[in-house]
């Protein structure tokens, strides 16, 4: 892959360092321009860099899935597989190596940690550092590498490999003498190599650096090691075997705590005074520990590990079950289109579950299972599961008022959700992670709950409610004894509510609302042209703008929509017929006579002029026919009808895919926009570059026109779903059927 300038490479590097996480636009701007020296056009430069990166990443590379650069509020996320990025591979190997070391398998730990360090090929992002870019994340990653080196040294020492690491340890300690852990390891390696004096010299140098530079004495752990070297404690001898240790043995050989890792020297015969201590308490503890046998310490350590395992088993695990429904409105879809719709919905839900730290345990057809572990950190697994459920629900529903039921973004599309939380769940086989499986009854309970959930709702069990009530509002639901609570809204601002998040698209929405205000104020035709490519989020932008216009309680406007059919798939009269039917209320099942009656009734409400009432229905009648070319006088009558309608109630006309429209309709729309009449109507035209290819001067020079170009946002699951399947059917299909009768 070939990348462009420093900004593009820096944006990619920063996103890769935060792979599979959402990085806000402000974070990226701060990373690309330090010390507040960003130019005025910084946001646009970043958007262009992201756009170019998408083109590079989407290019042919290998059989492996390509990385996916997605727009996710409030910024972007780069989704990659573990094997595609060395950093992710490094982190996985480190985690596995540390787990093996803690589990008493130093050989596996040594191999895993050595493999992780082998992925390093020099300083991190050295080319960007040379250009003056230095992020805290880079420094933290370099420090993490040193931490992993110390972990590997630990494993090597446990395997008896003290001679092989001696040179590396010396180099590390010389470069950073204040790293006490590495100094301890070097002392132990030197002692095991028979170089006791050099081991003590290391301690002296560390103490000199600490006392002289910071006024601090070495840690008690380092002091005890010095004493053990002086007394030639047998506990410092190399291990007799490097075979895999049982957990109980590992508690002694590879202890977890600082107190256990380096043995204490024998206590002096005359104990020190006990001033400022609880009489006898500390001395009794030391005496018991010093006199205890290896078996005693093993039993205590093993018991501690058992306690930890029992505590882990009691941590709650939350399961989210999501089901999608496609109603009769989707009955005309082919099996391939139906599969494509379910795939897009599943992708959407997977993104939300992953965003909140969940694991997709199963995805089959319209049913998806997500598991959220409670690892003891905030937010809890239950809170994250409920947030993910709320985001899936709210993406596919429009909420007109707080507490009101949601309206699906497309007719026939429904989503159902249920969250159950239990304690003491068995490990998911083969992963080591806690997850639910049918043997524990957790998934079964969730399925029973889901059967009682209404479309557009998410229900939770009583345990989930108790664990999340500080973050979420609920209302009592009597549908199911196992799911007595319905999720209303997430109250901490992370999900829920009536407003969908549109991230950078809020800028475009603000521009469109500004033009809408001018249309109202000046009572004149205005035009917004939205130029977009597939996957740019155009469909969601149009739907959100329509929703906000229709829900404005102060200045209501009538919104009419129409979509131009691709060549060869529909008649030239389709768009005018759709608009006329929507305004007059012509529905599926109305014959031509009923449709004519409704047109006449609408005209009676729009004008008092008898001549217009009498002549206009006859001129509009060809739109009610079987289709075919539309005569010029019919379009002129249609234009007059729209002018009358806008004179009574201001109109917003949304024309989608206008690049497919015929020349006569394009002429008619241009005449509507350039008409000198005082008609408050805002035309929103959505098209791709083919419109400008056909009409190079489209809207050019018009004082009331604006062009918005949308940058590509590929793989937006919801937008692809709506754009490819739902938008053309959302309100026009029944009307077209009626007008064709």
């Amino acid at each position: 892959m070939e990348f462009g300038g420093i900004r593009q490479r820096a944006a990619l590097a920063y996103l890769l360092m935060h792979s599979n996480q959402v990085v806000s636009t402000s974070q990226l701007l701060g990373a690309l321009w330090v010390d507040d020296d960003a130019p005025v056009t910084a946001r646009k430069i970043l958007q262009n860099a992201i756009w170019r990166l998408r083109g590079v990443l989407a290019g042919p590379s290998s059989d492996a899935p390509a990385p996916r650069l997605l727009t996710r509020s409030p910024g972007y996320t780069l989704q990659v597989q573990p094997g595609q990025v060395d950093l992710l591979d490094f982190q996985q190997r480190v985690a596995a190596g540390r787990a093996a070391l803690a589990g008493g398998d130093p050989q596996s730990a040594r191999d895993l940690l050595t493999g992780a360090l082998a992925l390093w090929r020099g300083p991190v992002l050295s080319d960007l550092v040379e250009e003056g870019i230095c992020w805290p994340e880079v420094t933290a990653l370099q420090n993490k590498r040193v931490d992993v080196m110390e972990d590997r040294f630990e494993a090597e020492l446990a395997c008896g490999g003290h001679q092989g690491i001696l040179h590396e340890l010396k180099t590390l300690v010389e470069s950073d003498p204040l790293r006490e852990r590495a100094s301890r390891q070097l002392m132990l390696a030197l002692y095991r190599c028979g170089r006791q004096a050099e081991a003590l010299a290391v301690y002296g140098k560390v103490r000199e650096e600490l006392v002289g530079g910071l006024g601090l004495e070495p840690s008690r752990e380092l002091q005890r090691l010095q004493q053990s070297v002086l007394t030639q404690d047998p506990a410092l001898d190399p291990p007799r075997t490097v075979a895999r240790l049982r957990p109980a043995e590992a508690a002694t050989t590879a202890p977890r705590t600082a107190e256990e890792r380096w043995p204490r020297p024998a206590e002096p015969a005359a104990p020190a005074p006990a001033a400022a201590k609880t009489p006898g308490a500390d001395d009794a503890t030391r005496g018991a520990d010093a006199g205890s046998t290896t078996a005693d310490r093993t039993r205590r350590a093993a018991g501690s590990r058992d306690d930890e395992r029992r505590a882990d088993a009691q941590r709650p695990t939350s399961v989210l079950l999501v089901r999608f429904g496609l109603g009769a409105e989707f009955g005309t879809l082919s099996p391939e289109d139906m599969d494509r719709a379910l795939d897009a919905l599943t992708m959407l839900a997977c993104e939300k579950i992953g965003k909140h730290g969940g694991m997709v345990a199963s995805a089959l057809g319209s049913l998806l299972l997500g598991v959220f572990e409670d690892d003891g950190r905030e937010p809890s697994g239950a809170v994250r599961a409920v947030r993910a459920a709320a985001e899936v629900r709210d993406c596919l529903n429009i909420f007109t008022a707080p507490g009101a039921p949601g309206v699906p973004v497309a007719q026939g599309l429904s989503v159902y959700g249920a969250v159950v939380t239990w304690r003491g769940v068995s490990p998911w086989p083969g992963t080591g992670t806690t997850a639910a499986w049918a043997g524990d009854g957790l998934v079964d309970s969730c399925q029973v709950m889901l059967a009682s959930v209404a479309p557009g709702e998410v229900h939770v069990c009583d345990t989930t409610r108790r664990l999340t009530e500080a973050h979420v509002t609920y209302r009592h639901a009597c549908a199911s004894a196992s799911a007595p609570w319905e999720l209303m809204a997430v109250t901490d601002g992370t999900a829920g509510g009536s407003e969908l998040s549109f991230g950078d698209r809020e800028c475009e929405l603000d521009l469109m609302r500004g033009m809408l205000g001018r249309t109202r104020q000046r009572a004149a035709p205005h035009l917004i042209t939205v130029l977009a490519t597939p996957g740019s989020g155009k469909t969601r932008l149009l739907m959100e703008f329509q929703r906000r216009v229709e829900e404005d309680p102060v200045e209501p406007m009538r919104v009419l929509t129409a979509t131009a059919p691709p060549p060869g798939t529909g008649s030239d009269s389709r768009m005018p017929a759709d608009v006329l039917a929507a305004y007059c209320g012509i529905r599926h099942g109305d014959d031509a006579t009923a449709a004519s009656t409704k047109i006449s009734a609408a005209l009676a409400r729009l004008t008092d002029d008898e001549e217009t009432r009498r002549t206009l229905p006859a001129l509009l009648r060809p739109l009610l026919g079987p289709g075919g070319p539309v005569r010029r006088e019919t379009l002129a009558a249609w234009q007059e009808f729209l002018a009358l309608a806008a004179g009574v109630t201001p109109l917003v006309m949304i024309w989608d895919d206008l690049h497919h429209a015929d020349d006569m309709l394009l002429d008619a729309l241009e005449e509507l926009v350039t008409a000198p009449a005082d008609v408050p109507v805002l035309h929103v035209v959505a098209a791709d570059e083919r419109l400008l290819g056909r009409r190079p001067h489209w809207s050019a020079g018009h004082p009331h026109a604006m062009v918005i170009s949308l940058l590509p946002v590929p793989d937006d699951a919801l937008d692809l779903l709506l754009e490819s399947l739902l938008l053309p059917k959302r309100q026009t299909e029944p009307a077209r059927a009626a007008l064709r009768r």
Side-chain angles (χ1 to χ4, degrees):
M1 296 182 181
E2 296 184 0
F3 299 96
I6 183 173
R7 303 302 176 194
Q8 186 175 339
R9 288 185 286 118
L12 175 62
Y14 198 84
L15 289 168
L16 282 172
M17 293 190 71
H18 300 80
S19 297
N20 303 317
Q21 304 174 35
V22 176
V23 179
S24 68
T25 302
S26 59
Q27 281 181 270
L28 276 171
L29 292 174
L32 268 59
W33 287 276
V34 296
D35 299 329
D36 296 325
D37 64 342
V40 177
T41 58
R43 184 176 290 267
K44 182 59 68 176
I45 294 173
L46 173 61
Q47 291 174 340
N48 289 336
I50 295 295
W51 180 73
R52 293 189 183 96
L53 282 175
R54 287 197 174 101
V56 175
L57 295 174
S61 57
S62 67
D63 295 335
R68 301 168 60 204
L69 180 49
L70 308 177
T71 297
R72 290 291 178 266
S73 177
Y76 306 92
T77 180
L78 184 57
Q79 294 185 350
V80 297
Q81 302 297 320
Q84 294 176 317
V85 180
D86 284 349
L87 176 58
L88 296 181
D89 196 2
F90 171 79
Q91 292 170 340
Q92 284 193 341
R93 295 189 189 195
V94 168
R98 287 173 171 169
L101 187 60
D105 187 3
Q107 282 187 319
S108 297
R110 177 188 59 189
D111 296 339
L112 288 165
L113 295 172
T114 301
L117 291 168
L119 296 171
W120 287 72
R121 301 175 180 87
V124 179
L125 304 179
S126 56
D127 58 331
L128 296 179
V129 174
E130 288 293 327
E131 298 283 353
I133 292 180
C134 185
W135 300 319
E137 292 89 344
V138 174
T139 303
L141 191 54
Q142 295 281 15
N143 292 336
K144 185 174 183 179
R145 175 176 179 262
V146 180
D147 294 337
V148 176
M149 290 174 64
E150 292 177 337
D151 291 333
R152 183 178 72 85
F153 296 149
E154 198 80 39
E156 289 281 8
L157 289 170
C159 292
H162 43 275
Q163 292 180 333
I165 61 174
L166 196 57
H167 177 72
E168 292 178 85
L169 272 171
K170 280 185 175 181
T171 303
L172 177 58
V173 171
E174 287 174 359
S175 64
D176 192 354
L178 295 180
R179 293 191 73 93
E180 290 194 55
R181 185 186 182 194
S183 298
R184 291 195 305 268
Q185 292 169 336
L186 177 58
M187 289 177 64
L188 183 59
L190 287 168
Y191 177 84
R192 289 180 175 178
C193 291
R195 299 158 69 173
Q196 178 178 346
E198 292 182 52
L200 294 173
V202 171
Y203 175 83
K205 186 174 181 180
V206 172
R207 185 178 185 279
E208 180 182 351
E209 292 283 346
L210 287 171
V211 174
L214 302 175
L216 298 174
E217 286 287 338
S219 65
R220 287 181 296 175
E221 193 174 6
L222 197 60
Q223 294 180 43
R224 289 171 186 146
L225 177 59
Q226 182 213 23
Q227 291 295 319
S228 296
V229 172
L230 288 171
T231 59
Q232 298 184 1
D233 192 323
L236 301 184
D237 293 341
R240 299 187 186 93
T241 176
V242 295
R244 175 177 171 83
L245 304 176
R246 295 188 299 273
E249 296 170 333
T252 301
T253 306
R256 292 187 304 276
T257 66
E259 292 292 323
E260 295 171 17
R261 189 179 300 277
W262 301 107
R264 298 171 180 264
E267 294 289 281
K277 299 181 182 178
T278 302
D282 193 45
D283 293 328
T285 302
R286 285 201 302 270
D289 189 61
S292 64
T293 65
T294 300
D296 293 333
R297 293 199 302 271
T298 298
R299 284 193 294 271
R300 289 200 302 272
S304 176
R305 292 177 64 86
D306 289 340
D307 291 342
E308 290 180 5
R309 283 194 293 269
R310 284 192 292 270
D312 289 341
Q314 292 304 311
R315 288 177 179 171
T317 296
S318 297
V319 163
L320 165 62
L321 202 58
V322 176
R323 180 167 63 84
F324 300 108
L326 301 179
E329 292 81 357
F330 292 81
T332 59
L333 293 181
S334 66
E336 292 78 10
D337 285 342
M338 188 73 78
D339 289 342
R340 187 152 49 95
L342 289 175
D343 287 344
L345 290 167
T346 300
M347 183 191 306
L348 175 70
C350 289
E351 289 174 359
K352 300 303 181 186
I353 291 173
K355 171 185 173 182
H356 291 284
M359 178 186 70
V360 178
S362 175
L364 182 61
S366 62
L367 200 64
L368 185 137
L369 174 67
V371 180
F372 295 80
E373 291 184 288
D374 194 343
D375 54 8
R377 295 177 296 176
E378 292 295 333
S380 66
V383 171
R384 290 184 281 112
V386 171
R387 287 176 179 174
E391 288 199 12
V392 174
R393 178 199 66 182
D394 294 353
C395 276
L396 299 176
N397 288 274
I398 297 173
F399 296 88
T400 57
V407 178
V409 295
Q411 286 186 341
L413 174 62
S414 55
V415 58
Y416 310 78
V419 180
V420 174
T421 302
W422 272 10
R423 293 181 183 272
V425 183
S426 300
W428 187 267
T431 64
T433 60
T434 302
W437 49 335
D440 291 316
L442 191 52
V443 177
D444 293 338
S445 296
C446 210
Q447 287 179 318
V448 171
M449 178 191 300
L450 196 66
S452 303
V453 175
E457 294 182 0
V458 175
H459 288 197
V460 307
C461 67
D462 194 61
T463 301
T464 304
R465 181 195 64 84
R466 289 198 305 270
L467 293 173
T468 61
E469 58 187 352
H471 305 269
V472 186
T473 58
Y474 296 98
R475 68 180 176 191
H476 194 70
C478 301
S480 170
S482 61
W485 302 97
E486 179 189 349
L487 187 156
M488 299 306 296
V490 177
T491 56
D492 56 5
T494 58
S498 61
E499 291 291 327
L500 296 180
S501 174
F502 279 79
D504 291 342
R505 290 290 182 254
E506 286 293 341
C507 177
E508 283 79 5
L509 287 169
D510 288 341
L511 292 173
M512 297 171 74
R513 285 198 296 266
M515 187 67 83
L516 180 64
R518 286 188 50 173
T519 303
R520 291 188 180 115
Q521 182 181 10
R522 302 191 180 189
H526 286 66
L527 171 65
I528 299 174
T529 302
V530 178
L531 295 178
T533 56
S536 61
K538 175 257 298 180
T539 303
R540 295 187 69 191
L541 178 69
L542 296 181
M543 294 182 69
E544 177 65 7
F545 180 65
Q546 176 181 350
R547 184 181 74 83
R548 296 187 184 187
V549 171
E550 291 176 334
E551 294 177 5
D552 189 337
V554 180
E555 298 180 283
M557 297 185 74
R558 183 75 180 271
V559 181
L560 301 173
T561 67
T563 301
T569 62
S571 69
D572 296 338
S573 63
R574 173 169 166 173
M575 295 184 80
D578 289 343
V579 169
L580 182 64
Y583 191 91
C584 298
I586 301 173
R587 302 179 180 278
H588 180 71
D590 292 345
D591 56 19
T593 301
S596 296
T597 301
K598 290 184 177 182
I599 293 175
S600 298
L603 281 171
R605 296 189 297 269
L606 297 177
T607 179
D608 294 331
D609 185 76
E610 292 295 335
E611 180 67 15
T612 301
R613 291 182 177 183
R614 183 179 60 82
T615 60
L616 212 55
L619 293 172
L620 292 172
R621 192 167 293 124
L623 291 177
L624 308 179
V630 180
R631 300 176 61 182
R632 185 67 189 86
E633 55 266 28
T634 299
L635 284 180
W638 176 72
Q639 290 172 304
E640 183 178 354
F641 181 90
L642 292 181
L644 291 172
V648 174
T649 302
L651 293 178
V652 173
M653 312 288 300
I654 298 179
W655 310 97
D656 199 7
D657 290 342
L658 199 66
H659 50 272
H660 292 316
D662 60 15
D663 288 329
M664 188 176 293
L665 180 58
L666 292 178
D667 291 338
L669 288 179
E670 286 191 297
E671 291 172 7
L672 284 172
V673 175
T674 58
D678 297 332
V679 179
V681 55
L682 174 63
H683 296 274
V684 180
V685 169
D688 62 23
E689 294 292 341
R690 283 175 286 182
L691 176 63
L692 298 185
R694 295 173 57 188
R695 299 290 173 106
H697 303 292
W698 177 265
S699 77
H702 193 279
H704 299 159
M706 174 177 65
V707 177
I708 297 176
S709 296
L710 298 183
L711 294 174
V713 186
D715 298 327
D716 185 319
L718 179 58
D719 190 74
L720 290 175
L721 173 71
L722 296 174
E723 187 168 348
S724 62
L725 300 177
L726 306 179
L727 184 64
K729 299 175 171 59
R730 60 179 175 172
Q731 60 170 272
T732 58
E733 189 62 43
R736 283 198 299 273
L739 291 176
R740 296 294 177 262
R741 289 174 180 267

